[in-house]
Amino acid sequence: MATQAQMVEVAGAEKLTVASKSRRAWRSQGNAGAGAALLGLALCCLGGKWLPGQTQARPQVHTNQQRSSGAGQGAGQGACGEALSAGYLVFDGSRSAWAAASAEAQPVRDLGSAADAAEKAALAAFDNMLKKQGQPGACGPQRTALVEAIRKEVWSIFLAQRLIAERIAADQLNRQLVSRMTKRGGPLRVLEKINLLRQQVSAYKAAVKRLLPAWAASGADPEEAAAERRLGELQFQIENSAAGSALQKIWQEDRMQQLLSKRAHGISVSLDPALRVLLRPDGLGNLQIFSVGPVGPPNNPATVNVGVMNDGSIADVYREHPEPPRISIQPAVKVNMNVR
């Protein structure tokens, strides 16, 4: 009997040991599931910025305890994701149009007010989606993340549009300087160039002000000083540019034409020295050869007339010595007179 009682006690002790081990395993499994559920909730609500659409990776549920105990949390997480996607989808239409215009170097009129309107429309779509899901006012972190994502995209568009506005101001300044120089027919005075520079700097600042949204209007243009410096360099170096060099060549040609035209008016007289040489061999004058050509330096040549006439056998009755000389040399002066 004692032996049977001892066997019964041993069997009972083994059952208690197995039961206690099973309870410990169940508790550890429950703790692991609860920890996973808390970690998933933290990642959903507090971990990083939310991204729109399919780019938001949702935490995977692996334990049965997490599926059963986190059903309400999963429903709230799905509503936030749908609201976030709906809000960003409304903003993405405007963003695509702005990005396309910036890629083609086209200015966007009143980007600041348009960005403010697009942000309000995106937040309204976010709130309306939560109302449809029956959770108005929820998903605060996701709403904040949506605002941050929208403003980040708007700021990148603003930087591209600011560069376009600076290029437009530089092109306008270059055109005005070249136009004024062409009308004057010479370089502009320093004061004139500075006045044109001030006008374009003011136009650039006004354009940037229209590009800034309301939430960034308090901050200054990060490239304002650099843009003013680049515009100043443009107006100081306009004479050395391609357009300025071309104008200088035109001015030089015009000055030469004016100088030549001034010299050409009136009466001009020039004297050219000449020399006449005549050879007169014997004969009856039936051979006559004449030639004219310059002699001397190219800048002041003398004209020489050379002639050959065989009339030496014909007596000249009007002379004291009737026989003509065999060679005759006669200096002469050629007078050139031009009247214009």
Side-chain angles (χ1 to χ4, degrees):
M1 294 295 294
T3 303
Q4 292 180 353
Q6 291 176 357
M7 292 175 63
V8 172
E9 290 178 356
V10 171
E14 289 177 356
K15 292 180 180 180
L16 291 175
T17 303
V18 172
S20 61
K21 289 182 179 181
S22 63
R23 284 194 297 270
R24 293 193 191 99
W26 182 82
R27 290 174 181 174
S28 61
Q29 186 176 2
N31 292 334
L38 291 175
L39 180 59
L41 180 61
L43 290 175
C44 292
C45 299
L46 301 177
K49 295 182 179 181
W50 280 67
L51 298 176
Q54 300 297 326
T55 57
Q56 176 61 44
R58 299 183 179 180
Q60 298 295 328
V61 181
H62 298 286
T63 60
N64 294 329
Q65 288 86 349
Q66 187 175 353
R67 291 194 187 98
S68 60
S69 61
Q73 296 175 357
Q77 176 185 351
C80 293
E82 292 179 1
L84 187 61
S85 299
Y88 192 85
L89 184 62
V90 171
F91 168 74
D92 190 62
S94 300
R95 184 203 61 80
S96 300
W98 300 335
S102 301
E104 296 178 359
Q106 296 295 328
V108 177
R109 293 180 58 87
D110 299 330
L111 175 63
S113 58
D116 293 336
E119 180 178 337
K120 292 179 181 179
L123 294 178
F126 182 91
D127 296 336
N128 291 334
M129 181 58 68
L130 289 180
K131 289 181 180 179
K132 292 180 180 179
Q133 298 291 338
Q135 298 182 16
C139 305
Q142 286 77 14
R143 196 176 194 275
T144 302
L146 176 61
V147 172
E148 293 178 356
I150 290 175
R151 293 184 177 182
K152 184 178 180 180
E153 294 286 350
V154 169
W155 185 252
S156 64
I157 298 295
F158 162 77
L159 294 178
Q161 287 294 313
R162 187 215 63 80
L163 181 59
I164 295 173
E166 181 182 349
R167 290 177 179 175
I168 291 175
D171 183 68
Q172 290 293 333
L173 178 60
N174 184 77
R175 290 175 181 272
Q176 290 180 356
L177 290 171
V178 172
S179 177
R180 294 287 184 89
M181 292 166 64
T182 303
K183 291 180 180 179
R184 167 167 291 191
L188 298 179
R189 293 190 294 268
V190 176
L191 182 59
E192 292 176 327
K193 295 195 295 183
I194 291 178
N195 290 334
L196 293 176
L197 174 63
R198 289 175 177 173
Q199 293 177 5
Q200 291 304 319
V201 168
S202 300
Y204 164 76
K205 290 182 178 179
V208 172
K209 186 177 181 180
R210 291 191 298 269
L211 293 175
L212 283 172
W215 52 267
S218 59
D221 177 16
E223 292 291 329
E224 181 176 339
E228 291 183 7
R229 184 181 68 253
R230 287 188 287 267
L231 292 175
E233 292 175 355
L234 173 63
Q235 66 93 10
F236 277 117
Q237 298 177 359
I238 187 63
E239 289 84 3
N240 299 328
S241 64
S245 300
L247 287 177
Q248 289 182 4
K249 291 181 180 179
I250 295 174
W251 298 336
Q252 186 176 4
E253 294 177 358
D254 291 343
R255 286 193 295 267
M256 293 297 296
Q257 291 293 334
Q258 292 176 2
L259 183 61
L260 293 175
S261 63
K262 288 180 180 179
R263 290 182 177 179
H265 289 295
I267 300 175
S268 63
V269 178
S270 63
L271 301 177
D272 295 335
L275 182 65
R276 298 174 182 175
V277 179
L278 179 61
L279 300 177
R280 305 178 74 177
D282 294 336
L284 300 177
N286 58 350
L287 177 63
Q288 297 181 7
I289 301 174
F290 297 96
S291 177
V292 179
V295 175
N299 58 342
N300 191 17
T303 302
V304 177
N305 296 284
V306 178
V308 178
M309 181 180 293
N310 61 341
D311 61 346
S313 301
I314 301 176
D316 188 355
V317 295
Y318 297 101
R319 289 179 177 272
E320 185 179 358
H321 302 283
E323 294 183 0
R326 300 297 180 181
I327 181 171
S328 297
I329 299 176
Q330 180 182 5
V333 176
K334 183 180 179 181
V335 180
N336 300 317
M337 180 179 293
N338 294 322
V339 180
R340 294 184 180 180

